[in-house]
Amino acid sequence: MAECTEGDRLNQEIFDAVARLIGGVLANGEKVAGEFGLPLFAVKAMHYLDGGIAMKELGRRMSCDPSFVTSIADSLESRGLARREPNPADRRIKNLVLTTEGLDLKERLERDMVASMPWCHALDLAERKSLLTIVRKLIDAEAAQGTAVPAGPAGAPRHPGAAPAGEVSNPSSPAPAGAR
């Protein structure tokens, strides 16, 4: 494994800050998910379920065991948010598809989740654009090293107003409430 020796102290501070940010984002996500009566893993699964996805693929994207995907599917089905359907190309494969209720809840969840993220209230529009550029550069670097996390939902944008990968959505739109 390559070492990152230039600026060791700076690199450690970046690592610590990113770890703290990720922890805060996860805690915030758990809080929002809890407000909707869902565990965070169910919210994460719903994020990937744009038009339906094979349960095996959902497990790959979530980096979890197939038995856990079954538990996720059971949890979403019991709440009326998703259903299992045979894959049209191979009936042995089960797709997990959001119901109308699931799609409605996903939209509300993601809207609240995004609005509560720290960059929405701590960064102005130019800073958010810069952050997005840096994050995408880091994701590309991980992909080039073969260490990237599996891709998110196909067919980006995932929510109204989102830009396709590589673009910043609607830069002329006003910043969210509370943004500088």
Side-chain angles (χ1 to χ4, degrees):
M1 176 170 284
E3 291 186 31
C4 185
T5 57
E6 291 182 23
D8 283 341
R9 181 161 174 74
L10 175 61
N11 291 326
Q12 184 64 50
E13 288 182 27
I14 292 169
F15 180 83
D16 293 344
V18 168
R20 187 170 177 191
L21 176 64
I22 291 169
V25 166
L26 287 172
N28 188 56
E30 288 174 350
K31 179 180 177 253
V32 172
E35 290 169 0
F36 284 88
L38 291 172
L40 190 56
F41 68 80
V43 174
K44 183 177 179 182
M46 290 175 71
H47 178 70
Y48 289 115
L49 296 175
D50 278 343
I53 187 173
M55 290 177 56
K56 183 176 182 176
E57 176 62 15
L58 179 61
R60 187 189 70 77
R61 290 185 184 182
M62 292 182 66
S63 301
C64 65
D65 187 81
S67 64
F68 188 60
V69 175
T70 299
S71 296
I72 292 169
D74 290 346
S75 175
L76 293 174
E77 276 187 320
S78 71
R79 290 174 165 88
L81 301 173
R83 67 182 173 278
R84 292 175 177 103
E85 294 181 351
N87 184 301
D90 184 345
R91 295 185 61 79
R92 296 172 296 175
I93 298 172
K94 295 292 183 196
N95 288 348
L96 193 58
V97 179
L98 290 176
T99 62
T100 302
E101 295 82 9
L103 289 167
D104 291 343
L105 181 61
K106 176 184 173 178
E107 183 180 322
R108 291 192 322 268
L109 260 167
E110 290 191 352
R111 183 179 52 243
D112 286 8
M113 191 86 60
V114 168
S116 69
M117 290 297 131
W119 50 85
C120 288
H121 53 75
L123 303 178
D124 64 29
L125 182 62
E127 290 169 325
R128 290 195 312 271
K129 287 180 182 181
S130 294
L131 176 62
L132 179 59
T133 299
I134 291 167
V135 169
R136 286 181 173 158
K137 184 174 184 177
L138 295 172
I139 290 168
D140 289 346
E142 278 192 318
Q145 290 180 335
T147 57
V149 173
R158 291 179 297 281
H159 52 83
E167 297 178 22
V168 176
S169 61
N170 201 357
S172 62
S173 66
R180 293 190 289 155

